[in-house]
Amino acid sequence: MFLDLTLIGLVTTLEPVPIVVFILLLAGERGLFQGLVFTLAWLASIVAVLALTVGLTGGKPLLPHSSPSTAAIAVKLAVGVGLIFVGERKRRRRHRSPDTHRTPAWMARLETASAWTVAGISVIVQPMALVAAGAAVVTEAHVSSLSSYLLLFYFCVLSTASLLTMELWSAFAPERAGHLLHGLRTWIERHQDQAIIVLSLLLGLWLVGKSIDQLVT
């Protein structure tokens, strides 16, 4: 379970679109505040999903080969298949045409967005399918000991690590962070498709393989 949550958390925190949105927020006059709102809304969404999952299961692992257990595995399988589809589709499109990403018009208005709008955008751009996959993994755990709660905390922090890093960096070294984050944004916009292809295919294949193995054993 640790490896599953680690892979899902890494892909969640490295998703290109939320990172670009976050960098744009930090570039505004109220950058640190808006970045904090975005981060807290992002983290709150993950915590809410995990809390709901633990509440529904009572903190006990689902019985193997039961209907709820099969449903949880099906969720992971569906997310894996979806990721493979997205990655392969991006790969084929990229061969037909080069990356020509432009910043959408709504992103240009982020600097003046209200706190509620920023929080809503955070939830919208968050890869909830990955969070759902993480929740499906949690249904296999016995959540009662300190180590199990630390594992959930680890997943939450790892899934938010990129945002926390950029927020803290901007707070303690604003000039250097601003320069380097601008370069990071430019790099992501040039290589967004490649990043999505690699992240989607790797995690998708892992989830599909693991889910099929659980279904047949």
Side-chain angles (χ1 to χ4, degrees):
M1 188 175 73
F2 174 79
L3 180 57
D4 290 344
L5 291 180
T6 297
L7 292 175
I8 295 171
L10 281 174
V11 175
T12 301
T13 199
L14 294 176
E15 277 290 307
V17 174
I19 291 177
V20 171
V21 171
F22 194 78
I23 292 174
L24 289 172
L25 286 172
L26 290 176
E29 293 183 1
R30 300 181 301 151
L32 287 177
F33 173 73
Q34 288 188 321
L36 180 61
V37 171
F38 187 96
T39 303
L40 291 177
W42 177 283
L43 184 59
S45 299
I46 299 174
V47 172
V49 172
L50 295 183
L52 178 61
T53 301
V54 174
L56 291 175
T57 63
K60 299 178 181 179
L62 299 177
L63 294 175
H65 304 298
S66 64
S67 296
S69 175
T70 303
I73 296 173
V75 169
K76 291 191 295 181
L77 181 60
V79 173
V81 171
L83 289 171
I84 293 173
F85 174 79
V86 170
E88 181 62 17
R89 188 179 182 186
K90 283 282 187 183
R91 187 185 68 82
R92 292 184 179 182
R93 283 187 173 182
R94 185 168 174 270
H95 283 303
R96 291 197 296 265
S97 59
D99 290 342
T100 55
H101 289 289
R102 295 180 180 177
T103 303
W106 64 270
M107 285 190 181
R109 297 192 292 269
L110 286 175
E111 295 181 6
T112 58
S114 66
W116 288 109
T117 300
V118 170
I121 291 173
S122 175
V123 176
I124 291 172
V125 301
Q126 188 175 56
M128 291 306 296
L130 299 182
V131 178
V137 172
V138 172
T139 62
E140 305 167 9
H142 198 294
V143 184
S144 60
S145 63
L146 176 61
S147 60
S148 60
Y149 282 105
L150 287 176
L151 181 58
L152 296 184
F153 177 76
Y154 163 76
F155 175 69
C156 292
V157 172
L158 180 61
S159 300
T160 319
S162 60
L163 306 183
L164 291 172
T165 300
M166 289 186 288
E167 178 75 10
L168 292 173
W169 197 7
S170 297
F172 292 103
E175 292 186 5
R176 180 172 175 77
H179 175 72
L180 292 178
L181 289 178
H182 176 74
L184 176 61
R185 173 192 164 192
T186 302
W187 186 91
I188 290 176
E189 290 177 341
R190 291 177 179 173
H191 300 86
Q192 180 172 309
D193 281 352
Q194 295 98 311
I196 292 175
I197 290 168
V198 171
L199 293 173
S200 298
L201 290 179
L202 288 179
L203 183 58
L205 289 171
W206 172 265
L207 289 176
V208 168
K210 189 71 178 290
S211 301
I212 292 175
D213 180 66
Q214 289 179 308
L215 286 173
V216 301
T217 57

